[in-house]
Amino acid sequence: MKFEDLKGFAFDLDGVIADTARFHGQAWSDVAKEVGTEWTPKLAADLKGVSRMDSLELILKAGGHENDYSQAEKEALAAEKNNNYLKLVDTLTPADILPGIKDFLDELKAKNYKIALASASKNAPKILKQLQLTDYFEGIVNPADLKKGKPDPEIYLEAAKSIGLKPDQVAGIEDAQAGIASINAAGELSIGIGESLKNADIKFADTSELTLAAIKAALTK
């Protein structure tokens, strides 16, 4: 892709705009404590990108409690986790925006780039509101409307559509391998946050390096 062809950006949320993963960890560790499962770094890592009910099953299994709860009790535990997570989300402020992101969004807006959100989180609109960033996003993909999750390209194709652009006019920004695969499969320019990511068209060590000039320089190398 030539830099001049770029007309819009689609952002993942967690790990790109703000770090809300720690809230999931906190809320799940409370559930683990409640059911008598030891909370370990390995268990925390195993839950990354896993659905709510599947995460609960992993926690129960890790402590040997998979047969101790009825389906209704499991659903109650999952609901309790989500309520605790949302209480933590309520504590977010603009100070929680990751380094450089607000400046980058301001730069994109000033240069008339279109901006979309491609987050799998159903809580994304609430998080953007807490961070006071809602007005930057012309398109927000509703994950409830999607048939497939990342690494399927659907979310990034929908993000491009939400801002009236073709995929080859859009760059997607992600910090997870499944997200990069999703962007690439959609035929968009993939920008990875984190040196360990594979197959990203452009990579930055962290969000503070994100600028239009840095993207242009990487594309014209």
Side-chain angles (χ1 to χ4, degrees), residues 184-207:
N184 289 341
E188 298 172 8
L189 178 75
S190 54
I191 299 174
I193 306 298
E195 296 291 2
S196 63
L197 290 175
K198 295 178 189 134
N199 306 321
D201 297 317
I202 299 172
K203 267 195 287 195
F204 295 114
D206 58 59
T207 53

Side-chain angles (χ1 to χ4, degrees), residues 1-157:
M1 184 191 278
K2 290 184 187 150
F3 182 75
E4 294 70 33
D5 296 334
L6 203 48
K7 305 291 178 214
F9 288 80
F11 286 74
D12 176 39
L13 199 158
D14 187 41
V16 173
I17 294 173
D19 175 19
T20 54
R22 70 184 195 277
F23 294 157
H24 285 294
Q26 210 171 315
W28 277 129
S29 70
D30 289 345
V31 170
K33 198 176 190 177
E34 192 177 329
V35 300
T37 295
E38 187 191 352
W39 184 251
T40 64
K42 185 189 180 305
L43 184 53
D46 287 346
L47 303 187
K48 264 195 171 181
V50 177
S51 74
R52 200 179 301 159
M53 290 309 291
D54 288 345
S55 292
L56 178 61
E57 292 293 353
L58 285 170
I59 287 170
L60 293 174
K61 199 173 176 188
H65 305 296
E66 60 263 52
N67 301 316
D68 297 352
Y69 295 86
S70 68
Q71 189 57 33
E73 287 169 332
K74 286 177 185 177
E75 281 165 17
L77 283 168
E80 181 187 319
K81 179 266 167 183
N82 197 48
N83 290 337
N84 289 341
Y85 169 74
L86 290 175
K87 280 179 197 160
L88 293 167
V89 165
D90 281 336
T91 68
L92 282 171
T93 72
D96 293 296
I97 299 168
L98 286 170
I101 289 295
K102 177 76 165 55
D103 291 341
F104 185 50
L105 288 169
D106 284 331
E107 186 183 17
L108 295 182
K109 206 171 184 185
K111 300 271 175 72
N112 296 314
Y113 284 90
K114 291 182 178 290
I115 307 171
L117 190 74
S119 169
S121 170
K122 293 184 178 74
N123 299 310
K126 179 181 171 69
I127 293 167
L128 284 185
K129 192 177 173 190
Q130 289 290 129
L131 299 171
Q132 295 173 22
L133 294 178
T134 308
D135 292 348
Y136 288 92
F137 292 85
E138 289 176 52
I140 297 176
V141 179
N142 180 358
D145 296 338
L146 302 176
K147 292 177 182 71
K148 293 177 178 172
K150 301 170 187 178
D152 188 89
E154 186 182 15
I155 192 166
Y156 277 96
L157 291 171

